[in-house]
Amino acid sequence: MNIRRLPGFFYHYKVLGGLLVSALLFVIYLLFHWGIMCTNLEAWRHVISVCGTHSDGTAMGILCEPLCTERGIHSLACETLHTGKEAVFSAHWEATRLVFKAYRTKASSEQYESLFWIDAFGAKHFPSEEDFGTMIKDLVVNKLNYTVSTLQMQRLARLRTHRIEVDTKRRQLEMENVWPLLQENEYLITILFEDRDVFPQLIGTCGTFYAVEYVRH
């Protein structure tokens, strides 16, 4: 078909032309929705969102400062084919290339309801350390049919292995950040089998995002 005749074609076949344009837009939407196509603007949008939660004090993790304050993490690029995850993008941190992932960029209210309860005065009541450990063990059994050791449970219960939050408020905030991450199977597997070379190494987290080393496929 001659390209110059396209305007006339759409004029005479308005309904058909409208359907074709709608179908094209729908296909493009599906390509983005399924992660087959993406733009770097999405990566920046996710960073702006998580850094917003970090600035208001609700997101924590060892990567929050270099990502949001120090700007040490740069060269953001979207990554395609991430079915099942809301956000996946790569970046560089000094000499290390990372891949940030998030099953959901914002934790659902159901996840928080399963972590703590709120009384009539609006105060949050968190589980004890023992109860939180039991919750983690039950979660892993239900999701992976795997029984974790005490050391693995302690690793899963905290964002940092070398630092224990002793302040009650900080520890509760850590629980709020850890619990949504534990809902993601890949995050669990990365930690549980971090002594093996099968899975990428976990670099750190920020809010609902976790970052692993970049591995070429």
Side-chain angles (χ1 to χ4, degrees):
M1 179 183 292
N2 192 329
I3 296 179
R4 295 179 179 178
R5 299 177 61 184
L6 284 177
F9 171 82
F10 283 115
Y11 178 78
H12 291 290
Y13 301 95
K14 295 179 181 178
V15 176
L16 179 59
L19 290 175
L20 289 175
V21 172
S22 299
L24 178 62
L25 293 176
F26 182 67
V27 169
I28 294 175
Y29 165 78
L30 290 178
L31 292 175
F32 276 96
H33 182 70
W34 291 335
I36 299 175
M37 291 176 58
C38 66
T39 68
N40 292 347
L41 292 176
E42 294 179 53
W44 284 106
R45 178 172 60 84
H46 293 313
V47 169
I48 291 172
S49 177
V50 72
C51 288
T53 58
H54 173 61
S55 63
D56 66 22
T58 57
M60 67 187 305
I62 63 171
L63 295 181
C64 287
E65 289 294 327
L67 181 65
C68 304
T69 306
E70 302 168 357
R71 304 294 181 183
I73 296 177
H74 56 88
S75 302
L76 275 61
C78 73
E79 296 290 331
T80 58
L81 300 177
H82 51 80
T83 304
K85 292 181 175 60
E86 185 176 341
V88 177
F89 62 89
S90 61
H92 286 82
W93 186 23
E94 297 179 350
T96 304
R97 188 174 183 185
L98 317 174
V99 178
F100 283 84
K101 302 181 180 184
Y103 175 66
R104 291 289 180 269
T105 56
K106 293 184 179 180
S108 65
S109 58
E110 289 80 7
Q111 290 178 357
Y112 286 134
E113 288 172 1
S114 64
L115 174 63
F116 57 76
W117 63 277
I118 302 176
D119 62 24
F121 300 99
K124 297 178 181 178
H125 295 265
F126 287 81
S128 64
E129 291 294 343
E130 182 178 355
D131 289 340
F132 190 50
T134 301
M135 291 168 60
I136 292 174
K137 289 181 178 180
D138 292 342
L139 176 71
V140 176
V141 169
N142 291 333
K143 294 180 74 66
L144 303 178
N145 193 27
Y146 179 84
T147 302
V148 299
S149 66
T150 301
L151 288 177
Q152 288 175 321
M153 183 275 294
Q154 293 173 349
R155 173 69 179 88
L156 291 170
R158 300 185 181 276
L159 295 176
R160 306 186 191 186
T161 55
H162 61 280
R163 178 177 178 178
I164 297 178
E165 294 289 353
V166 293
D167 179 77
T168 301
K169 293 297 183 182
R170 292 282 299 175
R171 175 55 180 151
Q172 291 175 349
L173 178 60
E174 184 179 32
M175 286 184 178
E176 286 191 70
N177 279 258
V178 166
W179 191 243
L181 292 169
L182 296 179
Q183 311 306 312
E184 169 58 33
N185 286 357
E186 184 178 343
Y187 179 81
L188 291 173
I189 292 173
T190 301
I191 292 180
L192 293 175
F193 305 108
E194 59 186 352
D195 58 335
R196 306 178 188 181
D197 296 330
V198 180
F199 303 101
Q201 180 184 359
L202 178 69
I203 305 300
T205 67
C206 181
T208 57
F209 284 83
Y210 63 96
V212 297
E213 61 181 348
Y214 184 90
V215 178
R216 291 186 178 275
H217 298 286

